[in-house]
Amino acid sequence: MIILGIETSCDDTAASLVSEGTEILSSVVSSQIEVHHPYGGIVPELASRKHIEAIDYVVNDAIKKSGISLNRIDAVAVTQGPGLVGSLLVGFCFAKGFAYALDRPCVCVNHLEGHINSVFLTSDPPPFPFVALLVSGGHTSIYHVKSYTESDLMGQTRDDAAGEAFDKVSKMLGLGYPGGIVIDRLAKKGNSQSIRFPRSYLDKSKFDFSFSGIKTSVNRYIQTHGDISKEQIPDIAASFQEAVIDVLTYKIITAANKKKCRHIAVVGGVAANSRLRARLLKDASAEGFHVHIPPMDLCGDNAAMIAATGYHYMVKGITSDINQDVYSRSKNS
Ligand code: KG4
Ligand code: ZN
């Protein structure tokens, strides 16, 4: 079965063709970074306008690159939410129209479920059940994943998402948007033990997160130390990053122990962080866990994960009504 996936929930316009939920035939992502960069964050109105400009080209490019003719597409899967409503609507309306014109079913996909299913697009997918740490710009959550379409939320952030904290700290340090990748790069040149920022574990036996405290601590550090020199920035970046990673690593290993799962998946944009990948591979592997992290291009937003998820709904015979609408927040987000 070949599924066309479409994703426009935030600031990436993406389309992909995936065969049997595992084999990526093509994956095209058009990023809007340059559009939002001058503003230090995503401007929703600009994001939807840019999606409108890009969607037709991106979908056609994905089809062309896959070498698949239109009549071989079995269904169109599209992100329904959570995300920015204006952005979601562009991909959603396009997908509905495309599916209708092809006379194929349309499958609505939850963006977070898509991120979790990105591990099945790798050569080393985890067996069920496993625990998943979803770390992105909008979410930081731990799930007990029971099947392609069923997972229980074990905990989530009570305030900022981990990616949001990276982005805000980057802005405080004058490093611009998006912050995660810049902090990741600068942290390599810094000493992560130079500043002791607080680790907010909340209840250590539970799986909720809070990242607003560390963000405030970094801000206070910057303000009380007056003019921060260029040389100090890598130390601040590395110390901040290490504090966030300490918490993420502790919580996902505790969750895996609680659920007696030997397999851990880490997905979402922040899963691209080189230090987080290294720490988890080292710490979790030392405790006998098998860690599954998708390659970089499947960590950030992409449409292959949406097509793969759509495939699993199609296999269960679940398709969506044409009258469905998008949603900005899901019950579990
Ligand atoms: O999953 P994603 O592409 O979009 C959402 O669904 O939110 O995640 C974007 C987030 C941003 O906050 C970005 O700063 C963060 O992922 N990110 C990183 C890295 N690359 C992207 N955070 C830390 N280290 C990275 N290398
Ligand atoms: Zn995402």
Side-chain angles (χ1 to χ4, degrees):
M1 206 183 315
I2 293 172
I3 312 289
L4 164 66
I6 296 179
E7 152 67 40
T8 61
S9 67
C10 194
D11 61 342
D12 292 303
T13 316
S16 169
L17 276 95
V18 172
S19 173
E20 306 307 319
T22 52
E23 189 196 347
I24 301 174
L25 304 176
S26 65
S27 180
V28 177
V29 180
S30 167
S31 162
Q32 301 180 355
I33 285 179
E34 326 78 63
V35 178
H36 303 288
H37 183 80
Y39 304 95
I42 296 166
V43 183
E45 173 65 22
L46 289 180
S48 17
R49 283 169 191 260
K50 286 288 153 189
H51 284 307
I52 291 172
E53 284 172 23
I55 187 82
D56 187 45
Y57 173 81
V58 167
V59 171
N60 279 302
D61 198 29
I63 294 169
K64 205 164 81 194
K65 286 186 171 136
S66 72
I68 294 292
S69 57
L70 282 180
N71 61 0
R72 288 188 56 205
I73 295 174
D74 295 290
V76 181
V78 62
T79 307
Q80 186 176 19
L84 300 169
V85 165
S87 290
L88 286 163
L89 276 169
V90 177
F92 202 66
C93 293
F94 191 96
K96 278 191 197 180
F98 207 86
Y100 188 76
L102 284 181
D103 194 21
R104 294 290 190 272
C106 188
V107 187
C108 297
V109 171
N110 180 294
H111 181 79
L112 309 179
E113 212 169 295
H115 272 301
I116 294 172
N117 284 333
S118 63
V119 278
F120 298 107
L121 292 162
T122 67
S123 54
D124 176 33
F128 295 113
F130 60 91
V131 288
L133 171 65
L134 165 60
V135 257
S136 70
H139 298 86
T140 303
S141 318
I142 292 184
Y143 295 90
H144 182 225
V145 185
K146 298 187 286 193
S147 77
Y148 297 110
T149 56
E150 286 166 293
S151 51
D152 295 333
L153 181 69
M154 295 177 69
Q156 64 184 326
T157 185
R158 293 188 187 168
D159 39 57
D160 290 352
E164 200 177 347
F166 271 91
D167 293 337
K168 287 180 179 164
V169 165
S170 169
K171 200 170 174 182
M172 286 173 207
L173 293 170
L175 303 172
Y177 171 85
I181 194 154
V182 187
I183 292 199
D184 187 351
R185 201 178 59 232
L186 281 174
K188 290 191 178 118
K189 298 184 212 149
N191 174 4
S192 63
Q193 306 305 313
S194 57
I195 309 155
R196 180 78 193 167
F197 289 123
R199 276 75 173 148
S200 175
Y201 290 98
L202 302 174
D203 181 336
K204 276 195 138 181
S205 65
K206 299 221 168 84
F207 306 103
D208 281 349
F209 298 91
S210 169
F211 293 107
S212 66
I214 184 163
K215 192 188 65 187
T216 310
S217 287
V218 176
N219 197 19
R220 204 175 306 122
Y221 182 91
I222 294 170
Q223 283 177 355
T224 53
H225 286 75
D227 279 341
I228 298 283
S229 69
K230 233 179 149 187
E231 289 68 43
Q232 287 172 283
I233 291 181
D235 283 347
I236 300 173
S239 301
F240 156 76
Q241 176 176 274
E242 203 66 13
V244 172
I245 291 175
D246 276 352
V247 176
L248 295 174
T249 308
Y250 172 83
K251 292 269 179 185
I252 190 64
I253 291 178
T254 310
N257 276 321
K258 176 159 187 184
K259 291 291 178 189
K260 296 188 172 46
C261 288
R262 300 321 295 165
H263 292 262
I264 291 174
V266 189
V267 297
V270 184
N273 184 276
S274 57
R275 180 72 184 144
L276 176 63
R277 296 169 86 94
R279 273 282 303 277
L280 271 163
L281 286 168
K282 183 169 153 276
D283 294 6
S285 306
E287 293 196 33
F289 295 105
H290 197 110
V291 181
H292 306 260
I293 312 178
M296 304 292 214
D297 56 338
L298 290 176
C299 289
D301 288 345
N302 65 85
M305 67 187 195
I306 303 303
T309 305
Y311 166 82
H312 295 295
Y313 278 97
M314 284 290 287
V315 166
K316 286 178 99 176
I318 301 171
T319 58
S320 309
D321 186 85
I322 195 90
N323 295 320
Q324 291 268 331
D325 199 357
V326 298
Y327 51 83
S328 60
R329 293 175 67 85
S330 50
K331 275 187 225 124
N332 279 343
S333 70

